[in-house]
Amino acid sequence: DRDDMPKFAPQAGNEFFADGRTMRPGVPGTVPFGRTDVVASDAWAAPFAADREALLREDDRTYRGLEADGTTYVERIPIEVSMDLLKRGEERFNIYCVACHGYLGDGKGTVGVSFNPVVPTFHDPKYSDPSDVFGRDGYLFHIIRHGKLGGDGRLTMPAYAHAVNAHDAWAIVSYLRALQASRNATINDVPEAQ
């Protein structure tokens, strides 16, 4: 009578699937559908029109962080980086990332300091060197959306695709880059007026 049906919580483990995750990626080749009859010229409809455009996810660089070969992470953010994107990234980072990674991205968040393995600092040079896979923007995007498995097959970072869409994931990556730049900045980098 379905009173005691099994229920899988987001980010929970599941031994049934080879990757050990409950949350399943979309089936390749599936054609998504969504809201219809949206008049994009109406201001109230703009978010819905953007949602519809994102449903097809035809651009692997934007929606998967991958080059055309399907395996190489993009080196740099494939969308325009603006002050609005940075502010959105800061907001999303403060909501989803700070507890573990800390406000400075140094891995010293309130919760993260008690984790084993240790939460990485984004100020480690490997996270800013695009010749290293860890330093590619597409890699960071992928980890934000899909999480990271440790050597023992267990999640060392949960996936946030359920809460962070592709645009917001790129916003977080842009904010991480701003945190890195500010950490390495000197007083000479600050405009004279400020």
Side-chain angles (χ1 to χ4, degrees):
D1 63 4
R2 298 187 183 180
D3 286 343
D4 297 315
M5 272 181 69
K7 175 185 165 213
F8 299 120
Q11 302 180 11
N14 185 331
E15 293 179 16
F16 180 79
F17 298 107
D19 65 3
R21 300 177 187 199
T22 294
M23 295 166 49
R24 309 310 309 145
V27 177
T30 301
V31 178
F33 66 94
R35 298 172 181 90
T36 57
D37 301 325
V38 173
V39 180
S41 62
D42 292 340
W44 67 268
F48 302 114
D51 284 349
R52 287 195 68 197
E53 187 178 318
L55 282 172
L56 291 178
R57 298 182 180 126
E58 291 179 316
D59 180 5
D60 281 347
R61 291 177 54 81
T62 302
Y63 295 103
R64 291 178 187 81
L66 296 172
E67 295 291 356
D69 65 11
T71 59
T72 306
Y73 294 113
V74 296
E75 188 173 315
R76 295 287 172 231
I77 298 170
I79 63 174
E80 180 186 351
V81 177
S82 64
M83 187 54 73
D84 287 341
L85 187 74
L86 283 167
K87 287 178 181 177
R88 178 69 175 183
E90 178 183 23
E91 177 193 49
R92 301 286 97 180
F93 183 85
N94 289 345
I95 291 170
Y96 297 108
C97 311
V98 162
C100 296
H101 293 282
Y103 283 101
L104 302 176
D106 57 5
K108 296 186 172 144
T110 348
V111 176
V113 293
S114 64
F115 284 163
N116 185 9
V118 175
V119 175
T121 172
F122 294 115
H123 303 295
D124 182 329
K126 75 179 179 184
Y127 291 111
S128 56
D129 178 6
S131 68
D132 188 325
V133 69
F134 299 111
R136 291 178 164 265
D137 291 347
Y139 173 80
L140 296 173
F141 170 88
H142 181 82
I143 298 302
I144 291 166
R145 301 263 299 149
H146 304 289
K148 183 170 180 2
L149 292 174
D152 60 0
R154 294 182 359 175
L155 279 176
T156 57
M157 178 175 154
Y160 281 89
H162 68 285
V164 177
N165 65 28
H167 183 268
D168 285 349
W170 287 123
I172 292 170
V173 173
S174 71
Y175 183 67
L176 287 174
R177 295 304 186 206
L179 285 175
Q180 290 171 332
S182 67
R183 168 67 73 84
N184 298 321
T186 67
I187 193 67
N188 296 330
D189 295 319
V190 179
E192 186 75 27
Q194 296 177 352

